[in-house]
Amino acid sequence: MQTYNLEADGLRGLNTALQAQNENVTEESWEVNNPKGSHAVAVGLNAPIKVTVNGSTGYYCAGMNQQAHVHVKGSVGPGVAENMMSGVVEVEGDASQYAGATGHGGLLNIKGNASSRCGISMKGIDIVVHGNIGHMCAFMGQSGNLVVLGDAGDALGDSCYEARFFVRGSVKSLGADCIEKEMRPEHIEILKDLLERAGADAKPEEFKRYGSARQLYNFDVDNAQAY
Amino acid sequence: MCGIVGLFLKDKSLEPQLGAMLTDMLITMTDRGPDSAGIAIYGSDADGNSKLTVQSDNADADFATLADDLSEAINTKVELRRNDTHAILEMPHDKLEEAREALATLRAGMRIMSAGDVIEIYKEVGLPKDVAARFDVSGMGGTHGIGHTRMATESAVTTEGAHPFSTGTDQCLVHNGSLSNHNSWRRKLKREGVRIESMNDTEVGAAYLTWKMQNGASLGEALENSIDDLDGFFNFVVGTKDGFGVVRDPIACKPAVMAETDQYVAFGSEYRALVNLPGIEDAKVWEPEPATVYFWNH
């Protein structure tokens, strides 16, 4: 295992060393100490390596991740796993705004709470939040799954496309064109798999499913006055 | 962008270190606001006297005989303590308003930064580390303090556009964001007789809270009202003589992190600003909820 002291050796050196694994994996296990809220920790990775960050990070941790498993033993600032393509990003604490924004794939597993705009414009990423989420989550979500073991804030899934939302607790309000939907056997299967992969202590049957009413897909002449 | 830091001490033994802790937090937020910086320190009261903090671009000339000139004008003994471009004028509380009026004639070019029993505000254009060093903020003690690093958007990079803003006795406010209805509120508040000195949006926010409190609202109530009346993006951190408050607008796109231990309550625009505080590893750390008022009192 390679250990890196971020405070002493600097961010650029860390990301250069980690990204060097994209070409040729020489070290599969990395540990980052003293992140102290630094931004852009472990970004742009594209190799099957495991990176453990011992502490809390700032903006854009594990952004654009592919293949790698990034495990933050602390909380993360805004934009964790933004535009993730594949791999796993695991957060032991809370996540700030727009966690997993625009993500195309992979699993973002947040053990604490996520605040506003979690999963905004999600495009295939799976996000599991063990606590609560804030307002405007999954706004314009296109595909993928957002699973929330706690409660959701205002305007969940506003203007969403085909992303699925599973919430165990309450939903403060649904956004425009987002509705509660029937939980069919295939959804139970999807959810069971996600909860298992996230190590979440919850049963799929306890959740409600939400998604697009598909009323905003096409122009409706009755809405002409609004333009 | 802008950076905010705030520290409200519960543990008296930390009070001598307030300035040092705030300086460290402030410098960490340089990336968020390199244009100007400022700090409001709630220190001890000056032997029963109150304080006016004044600033001058021609400090040597303006401050040379200021104590004597002002003493004569308001017919009471005024003590002057100079700190670089700023000076603290100490006088009885009931003379503050008279002194303010006298200064407008005696030193028209001078600016009044704050007035109150304990508050002192220092702010200048420049990097936070330089601003903190020129006033030796790290040597200051106190019960609570608020700092700001500014990246200007709504008005020019000047001393008077720097935060914190103080529009009422022992009150101050710093802001990350921008207000979009500040012009109409400036007109309204000026008609109501609230003093507003600059074209800056944040000063209007501060004046709004002052006006609310003049009309009987508590700081908590004033902050609640600001959510309805002020339009735009804002994280406000507010100080009063013995209190410290935080509010975020309902959209809450400006970042904020808070930490609380038995020793202190701290605010930072980013967690980075808090990492060197004592016991931060075991502190309760959270992101303040949108449209929710947080308030602590001594």
Side-chain angles (χ1 to χ4, degrees):
Chain A
M1 180 167 61
Q2 187 90 15
T3 303
Y4 196 91
N5 182 352
L6 192 56
E7 196 178 19
D9 302 328
L11 179 67
R12 197 170 289 259
L14 171 70
N15 282 329
T16 305
L18 293 174
Q19 288 163 12
Q21 303 294 310
N22 295 356
E23 300 296 320
N24 178 25
V25 177
T26 56
E27 179 61 64
E28 284 178 3
S29 182
W30 295 72
E31 195 158 274
V32 182
N33 293 327
N34 295 315
K36 296 203 165 184
S38 299
H39 304 325
V41 172
V43 296
L45 308 189
N46 188 6
I49 57 174
K50 169 93 190 268
V51 181
T52 304
V53 181
N54 291 316
S56 295
T57 67
Y59 281 80
Y60 307 123
C61 180
M64 302 175 285
N65 188 54
Q66 300 185 64
Q67 302 187 65
H69 183 150
V70 179
H71 184 188
V72 181
K73 291 186 166 173
S75 291
V76 291
V80 64
E82 192 175 51
N83 213 52
M84 175 153 72
M85 304 302 285
S86 63
V88 176
V89 175
E90 207 176 343
V91 179
E92 291 297 329
D94 299 330
S96 187
Q97 330 177 43
Y98 45 93
T102 74
H104 288 250
L107 173 68
L108 171 59
N109 187 10
I110 298 165
K111 304 283 179 68
N113 302 310
S115 69
S116 61
R117 295 171 273 269
C118 175
I120 187 169
S121 196
M122 55 194 285
K123 298 178 173 72
I125 189 174
D126 291 323
I127 304 174
V128 179
V129 180
H130 296 235
N132 305 323
I133 58 172
H135 62 278
M136 292 302 284
C137 287
F139 174 63
M140 292 188 81
Q142 289 147 54
S143 65
N145 300 290
L146 171 63
V147 180
V148 184
L149 275 71
D151 302 330
D154 272 318
L156 174 69
D158 193 290
S159 308
C160 61
Y161 295 82
E162 293 303 305
R164 300 182 200 96
F165 318 126
F166 301 100
V167 182
R168 184 165 69 160
S170 65
V171 174
K172 198 168 176 197
S173 68
L174 292 170
D177 207 35
C178 183
I179 54 168
E180 188 183 337
K181 293 185 152 186
E182 183 196 356
M183 192 78 132
R184 294 196 299 266
E186 68 263 34
H187 303 121
I188 296 281
E189 282 310 305
I190 291 168
L191 189 50
K192 189 164 169 265
D193 171 60
L194 282 168
L195 289 169
E196 232 167 69
R197 282 164 54 206
D201 181 22
K203 295 182 181 66
E205 295 77 13
E206 297 167 346
F207 289 76
K208 286 180 177 170
R209 178 170 75 102
Y210 304 87
S212 177
R214 302 185 179 113
Q215 296 300 303
L216 296 178
Y217 277 29
N218 303 102
F219 179 71
D220 184 339
V221 74
D222 289 343
N223 293 333
Q225 293 289 359
Y227 296 95
Chain B
M1 199 136 92
C2 299
I4 298 178
V5 298
L7 196 53
F8 177 84
L9 299 178
K10 301 182 192 172
D11 180 352
K12 280 197 171 305
S13 71
L14 286 177
E15 288 181 7
Q17 299 163 48
L18 178 75
M21 291 158 84
L22 269 174
T23 299
D24 180 68
M25 295 165 77
L26 190 77
I27 291 171
T28 312
M29 291 293 96
T30 299
D31 302 353
R32 300 191 64 88
D35 291 340
S36 64
I39 203 144
I41 289 264
Y42 290 84
S44 53
D45 52 20
D47 303 326
N49 273 337
S50 290
K51 306 189 257 196
L52 276 181
T53 311
V54 295
Q55 182 271 352
S56 170
D57 294 335
N58 303 300
D60 285 341
D62 277 348
F63 295 165
T65 59
L66 180 60
D68 292 340
D69 296 351
L70 185 59
S71 295
E72 199 180 308
I74 63 171
N75 202 20
T76 193
K77 177 81 180 148
V78 174
E79 299 279 350
L80 181 144
R81 181 160 46 87
R82 184 174 170 183
N83 188 345
D84 198 70
T85 55
H86 288 46
I88 310 298
L89 299 166
E90 292 180 4
M91 67 199 73
H93 186 89
D94 57 8
K95 288 286 182 182
L96 282 178
E97 205 45 44
E98 209 179 320
R100 195 190 266 276
E101 279 163 27
L103 285 172
T105 324
L106 287 172
R107 301 284 189 279
M110 220 166 58
R111 301 183 184 98
I112 295 173
M113 301 276 110
S114 66
D117 295 338
V118 289
I119 191 173
E120 293 175 18
I121 287 182
Y122 300 91
K123 58 188 191 183
E124 278 298 352
V125 171
L127 286 172
K129 73 173 168 59
D130 299 333
V131 175
R134 69 192 292 179
F135 299 118
D136 192 23
V137 175
S138 60
M140 295 177 187
T143 52
H144 53 302
I146 294 170
H148 187 271
T149 64
R150 180 168 188 237
M151 190 175 282
T153 56
E154 296 291 298
S155 69
V157 178
T158 55
T159 304
E160 61 191 340
H163 304 217
F165 285 96
S166 181
T167 51
T169 310
D170 280 314
Q171 294 168 9
C172 80
L173 174 139
V174 297
H175 172 206
N176 177 14
S178 55
L179 301 179
S180 43
N181 61 346
H182 64 100
N183 284 326
S184 56
W185 268 107
R186 184 181 293 105
R187 286 192 294 273
K188 183 174 164 64
L189 291 165
K190 279 187 167 175
R191 278 200 303 275
E192 296 283 338
V194 183
R195 187 183 287 112
I196 299 178
E197 316 267 357
S198 74
M199 292 307 289
N200 182 279
D201 57 333
T202 304
E203 189 182 15
V204 174
Y208 172 87
L209 297 177
T210 300
W211 173 65
K212 281 282 173 186
M213 286 186 275
Q214 277 170 359
N215 287 294
S218 66
L219 177 55
E221 288 162 349
L223 289 170
E224 292 279 359
N225 293 150
S226 73
I227 296 168
D228 296 325
D229 286 338
L230 298 180
D231 186 21
F233 299 119
F234 54 89
N235 283 349
F236 288 147
V237 178
V238 184
T240 63
K241 188 174 179 182
D242 56 2
F244 177 81
V246 172
V247 68
R248 301 176 83 194
D249 71 81
I251 306 290
C253 63
K254 296 295 177 186
V257 182
M258 299 207 65
E260 186 169 11
T261 71
D262 291 343
Q263 292 186 292
Y264 58 81
V265 177
F267 179 99
S269 291
E270 299 175 18
Y271 178 72
R272 277 192 303 160
L274 311 179
V275 293
N276 291 329
L277 292 174
I280 189 72
E281 302 79 15
D282 303 314
K284 177 193 169 200
V285 177
W286 79 101
E287 188 169 303
E289 294 284 329
T292 304
V293 172
Y294 296 82
F295 190 62
W296 289 265
N297 252 99
H298 271 126

